[in-house]
Amino acid sequence: MCNAATARAMNTRVPEGPAHVVTGVELDARGEVRRVRWYLADGSEVGLAAGAAPRPLSGESVVDTLEVVDKLLEAEPVVPLFPGRGAGATPQLVKVHVQADGTERIEVDPSLPGRTLRDLPRL
């Protein structure tokens, strides 16, 4: 398993190859993301204008956050697809955030302005 510094350094660019696109989330009682709905997409299309979703390479599925963390630690890009994103908006990247107690959580890169995963539709 990677350390926190390595996990934070991953996925700092817009993907060029396939990317996992998150379209919805399920939150736990504390408001943390518990599961996501996602699909594998053509990463070169992730930055398209509003209303144009990236071309799916797989069907949508619902997975636990742990699977998302595993993909991120394998340096596979994960991006949220927010409804009504503006034309020319910079795609946000999902990253692993290691809490003080060692728990791994996922969230969009906090260094970029914009929405959080909690702004996605609920499962």
Side-chain angles (χ1 to χ4, degrees), residues 1 18 20 22 31 35 48 50 57-58 63 82 86 96 103-104 108 110-111 113 115-116:
M1 177 137 335
H20 299 275
V22 178
R35 297 188 319 154
L48 294 175
L57 300 176
S58 72
V63 298
F82 295 111
V96 176
T103 305
E104 296 170 326
V108 294
S111 69
R115 303 178 190 179
T116 71

Side-chain angles (χ1 to χ4, degrees), residues 100-115:
D101 65 359
T103 305
E104 296 170 326
R105 305 218 188 278
I106 59 170
E107 189 52 79
V108 294
D109 184 348
S111 69
L112 297 173
R115 303 178 190 179

